[in-house]
Amino acid sequence: MMREGAVRWLSPAGFFTMRWWEWGPEDGAPVVCVHGLTRSGRDFDALAQGLAAAGRRVICPDLPGRGASDWLPDAMLYQPPVYVAALSHLLARIDGPVDWVGTSLGGICGMAIAATPGHPIRRMVLNDVGAFVPQEAMARIRDYMGNEPLFEDIPALEAHLRTVHAPFGNLSDAEWRHLAETSARPGGDGVLLHYDPAIATPIRATEAQAIDMRALWALVKIPVLLIRGAESDLLLPETAAEMAAQPHVRLAEIAGAGHAPALMDPAQVALVRDFLGQ
């Protein structure tokens, strides 16, 4: 059964609340699952249930400005160093070794933490993100962000998600509906997406540029499962191959998916579960 949790964390603008969704036994070895740029912790419901069935305690936070977590008063705070600060408060609350599953932005945050001396991450899954993000992928993300469409109802929002997030892979109707229901908040005469539209501000403040994190990645020495959508434009084949040349990295490619595999399919859940172990 899913539980809810919250932690107060200190930002440059003061204290705010970050909420999370938790599955599995409270005394299980913890796994922290962190979502992508415009998503929420509820994206991991299927994965969390699979890991919880294997005895793991699974904690899926909503990053600041998303889901049930507080929005921030300054849009320029919606950047990875601030997310890392919030997540570090969560890690301090857990107070012990953790495994990490990070999709896209969640993986960038994971790399930043795992590159820091004294970090608590023992194993990490990077879902379709790596040491280099090309300019073209950043431009695509920049172009679809910044709008706040009002949808008539959940089916209309679902139709939007099916288009924008088609690279998630071959999801069932029930899975798309779940993503839609957990992506909605009331607004006007319909529903809005669950996040603060201001999260787009830092990205749209400048022209799209490639992000080179090779220096950061070089500091990550823990076992890593690198998952790549076979059609991904964000984690390029050559970047994945370069990363997988390291002895502590295992590469898995998901056919029929781009950026980023949804980790809802039983085979994808099993892939993560088997890598993380007990």
Side-chain angles (χ1 to χ4, degrees), residues 52-64:
R56 303 301 299 269
R57 177 191 180 197
V58 189
I59 300 168
C60 308
D62 291 342
L63 288 175

Side-chain angles (χ1 to χ4, degrees), residues 16-207:
F16 295 92
T17 297
M18 183 173 70
R19 293 181 170 83
W20 72 78
W21 313 95
E22 183 173 341
W23 304 78
E26 295 184 21
D27 61 351
V31 182
V32 175
C33 300
V34 185
H35 59 79
L37 183 63
T38 62
R39 304 303 308 148
S40 81
R42 295 298 305 277
D43 281 11
F44 293 108
D45 283 3
L47 176 64
Q49 291 177 65
L51 296 176
R56 303 301 299 269
R57 177 191 180 197
V58 189
I59 300 168
C60 308
D62 291 342
L63 288 175
R66 285 82 164 172
S69 291
D70 288 350
W71 292 11
L72 303 180
D74 179 356
M76 295 308 293
L77 292 176
Y78 288 127
Q79 300 196 55
V82 177
Y83 303 141
V84 168
L87 292 164
S88 296
H89 282 68
L90 172 59
L91 292 175
R93 171 72 67 84
I94 296 171
D95 191 26
V98 304
D99 290 338
W100 190 279
V101 178
T103 293
S104 195
L105 173 59
I108 292 174
C109 294
M111 283 193 288
I113 294 170
T116 304
H119 71 84
I121 303 176
R122 62 175 188 169
R123 285 172 293 202
M124 182 164 60
V125 178
L126 293 176
N127 184 22
D128 210 67
V129 67
F132 181 79
V133 178
Q135 180 182 13
E136 293 79 5
M138 291 303 300
R140 174 180 60 79
I141 293 169
R142 185 181 187 275
D143 289 345
Y144 82 72
M145 292 193 67
N147 299 318
E148 189 182 9
L150 176 67
F151 301 97
E152 180 180 0
D153 51 24
I154 294 293
L157 187 151
E158 179 184 331
H160 169 77
L161 294 181
R162 284 175 179 258
T163 299
V164 173
H165 295 309
F168 280 8
N170 186 26
L171 276 59
S172 68
D173 289 344
E175 289 167 339
W176 281 118
R177 174 53 60 95
H178 174 77
L179 289 179
E181 290 174 345
T182 56
S183 295
R185 60 182 171 90
D189 295 325
V191 293
L192 297 165
L193 291 165
H194 63 82
Y195 57 81
D196 181 356
I199 66 173
T201 300
I203 293 174
R204 298 185 65 85
T206 60
E207 291 299 317

